[in-house]
Amino acid sequence: MFRRSSQDAPADAATLTEDEAANKAVPAAEAPKGRPTPKRSEAVTNQRGRAYVAPDRKAVAKQSRDAGKDDRARQYAAMRGQGDERDLPPRDAGPVRKFVRDYVDSRWTALEFAMPVVILIFLIATLLRSASIVVLSTLVLYAVILAIVVATFFFARGLKKELARRFPNQNTRGAVAYGLLRSSNIRKMRLPKPAVKRGQKP
């Protein structure tokens, strides 16, 4: 009584077939090879991870070291006055810095003798160990420091005026400090080596 008729069976089979086809027609979030489709962020990360790697890292590192040695050798030769000025390090390169070096090397500067004089005063006060010598050395030291400050002020002002006159439309920032630092070294120890004599106009 509750049995299905033979006429209903094909309809049920057709309905089942349509449901299976519908389920198969639903696209799955999978790649053609059966893997889930990666997110954009994951794909970008994977691409970055597959960056180019040199076939021989040791050879590349050795080549880089050799190139660095050659650059340093050329720079040192240029600073010693035995190479091309174009190989000077960025701190010393350019016409502005060259003029500053010539300006400093062409004259006597107080900073050049500041450190030797200070060391000499301390040695005298230490070796003699006399109260009067210590007091006198202190007074001389203060006088030397004052003279250095005054001389440095006029030296920096003169250099600044010359830079403004010779390079009116160029960037001369840091040139005065560069000149003061160079003037504080003894002439024989200056690098790059002096290219002008004392008294010679730069």
Side-chain angles (χ1 to χ4, degrees), residues 116-127:
V117 170
V118 171
I119 293 175
L120 180 62
I121 293 174
F122 274 111
L123 286 177
I124 293 175
T126 303
L127 294 177

Side-chain angles (χ1 to χ4, degrees), residues 100-134:
V100 172
R101 290 195 299 271
D102 293 343
Y103 183 88
V104 173
D105 299 333
S106 64
R107 64 196 66 222
W108 299 90
T109 60
L111 286 177
E112 182 178 357
F113 303 99
M115 189 57 64
V117 170
V118 171
I119 293 175
L120 180 62
I121 293 174
F122 274 111
L123 286 177
I124 293 175
T126 303
L127 294 177
L128 297 180
R129 294 184 178 181
S130 172
S132 58
I133 295 297
V134 171

Side-chain angles (χ1 to χ4, degrees), residues 174-190:
V176 175
Y178 177 77
L180 291 174
L181 181 62
R182 184 174 179 84
S183 66
S184 64
N185 296 325
I186 300 175
R187 182 183 174 86
K188 292 183 178 181
M189 299 178 62
R190 293 172 183 172

